[in-house]
Amino acid sequence: MSQFGKEIKKLGFGFMRLPMLEDGEHTDIEQVKKMVDQFMEAGCTYFDTAYVYGKDGESEKAMRAALVERSPRHGLCGLLPAPRHPGQQLAAL
């Protein structure tokens, strides 16, 4: 049980290793959307991402496209650590 009185499942969706397009450079956003949908349909609400997951913020971009732009923000939990290296910036969620 969280401090807000909501049950949080022990399973989280990590955005570190995501399916890639054939070019090997970009995340397959449509596949990620399907994965996120299945995860949420199972009642899970915890998501984990970081700038260093993938190249140039690919993880955060995938999270924005698959989750933030498609789902209400209430009831979701997420972990988004701040950048650790000088000059490193967060992708806009």
Side-chain angles (χ1 to χ4, degrees):
M1 189 71 68
S2 77
Q3 67 186 26
F4 304 106
K6 183 173 174 86
E7 181 182 353
I8 299 175
K9 298 210 180 220
K10 294 180 182 180
L11 182 64
F13 187 103
F15 277 81
M16 184 172 193
R17 293 191 178 109
L18 298 173
M20 303 297 286
L21 295 173
E22 289 183 23
D23 66 8
E25 294 288 322
H26 297 94
T27 305
D28 184 343
I29 298 295
E30 293 307 311
Q31 184 62 35
V32 173
K33 287 178 181 178
K34 291 176 186 175
M35 293 165 62
V36 166
D37 290 346
Q38 287 182 332
F39 185 75
M40 291 178 66
E41 286 169 8
C44 300
T45 59
Y46 177 78
F47 297 88
D48 171 47
T49 188
Y51 184 85
V52 297
Y53 294 177
K55 182 180 176 185
D56 297 325
E58 279 287 315
S59 172
E60 292 167 324
K61 293 172 189 173
M63 181 182 225
R64 181 178 60 239
L67 182 64
V68 175
E69 294 174 356
R70 301 171 59 234
S71 300
R73 293 185 186 200
H74 65 278
L76 301 178
C77 301
L79 176 64
L80 178 62
R84 296 184 182 200
H85 305 290
Q88 193 176 23
Q89 297 179 353
L90 292 172
L93 293 179

